[in-house]
Each structure stands twice: as structure tokens, then as C-alpha cells.
Amino acid sequence: MQINQLPEASYREKGEHMPHVSFARDIKPLFRAVDISHMKRHKINLDDYTFMSNPDHANKVLQTLSPHDDHPPSMPPGGPYWTEDQLALFAQWQKDGYQP
């Protein structure tokens, strides 16, 4: 999983509105090839916009990426786990209406 820099601060500094979070630009690059391959065996298509834009699928993926009750996330197995900023970006993508 790659650590993407969130551009929010640069948009705020310029007084501009940050564009909607995009699956292709912002979310898909967060998944490593090994994550995508591993989850395809479980019929979870992390790199497929149509699959991931289904709210039920997206919510399940976000749940597995998130820590629960002081326990580490279940995905990706053994880490590296997503940062709070990456989880917030995913949640913002959902809030923005699952933009392609």
C-alpha cells in the first residue's frame, strides 16, 4: 500500500475547494498489487470501480481496513495498515458519492 500525500492543506492555503475524491486517482492507488491479488481469491475486487462503488462492498472493505476495539485491522494481513488519513480519504470518497 502506498502512502499518498493528501493535498487538502495546499488547497486550503490557496483558498480553493478540494476536488471530490476519485477512485482512480485517490483510492485505487492505496491498494498494493499483493492486496488486490490476495482479495481477488475471496471475490473482493479492490481494483474494480464497479465493485468498490457498491456501498455494501465499500463499507465491508473499510471495516476490514479499520482498527476495532484496540485490535489492529484485519487487512492487509500483517500490515502495513492504513493511516488515519488514508481511512479518512476512503470515507470522504464514500461521502463524495463514490466518484470514479
Side-chain angles (χ1 to χ4, degrees):
M1 165 175 28
Q2 300 171 349
I3 306 294
N4 287 357
Q5 295 294 327
L6 299 180
E8 295 171 18
S10 64
Y11 280 97
R12 278 186 293 224
E13 288 171 5
K14 296 175 187 173
E16 298 173 2
H17 177 68
M18 187 171 158
H20 287 292
V21 177
S22 158
F23 180 77
R25 182 188 63 231
D26 303 305
I27 302 304
K28 185 178 173 181
L30 295 175
F31 296 108
R32 302 173 302 169
V34 67
D35 301 327
I36 293 167
S37 174
H38 174 81
M39 294 310 290
K40 277 190 192 228
R41 289 183 255 154
H42 302 284
K43 302 202 183 312
I44 298 171
N45 301 314
L46 298 175
D47 61 343
D48 182 317
Y49 169 74
T50 301
F51 179 88
M52 289 295 292
S53 64
N54 175 310
D56 290 335
H57 296 159
N59 286 332
K60 287 177 185 175
V61 168
L62 183 58
Q63 185 177 18
T64 64
L65 290 166
S66 303
H68 299 282
D69 301 322
D70 295 327
H71 294 288
S74 58
M75 193 171 90
Y81 302 118
W82 282 23
T83 66
E84 287 184 32
D85 285 343
Q86 290 169 313
L87 294 170
L89 186 66
F90 192 98
Q92 186 63 47
W93 173 65
Q94 293 179 292
K95 183 178 175 184
D96 286 349
Y98 302 94
Q99 300 300 308

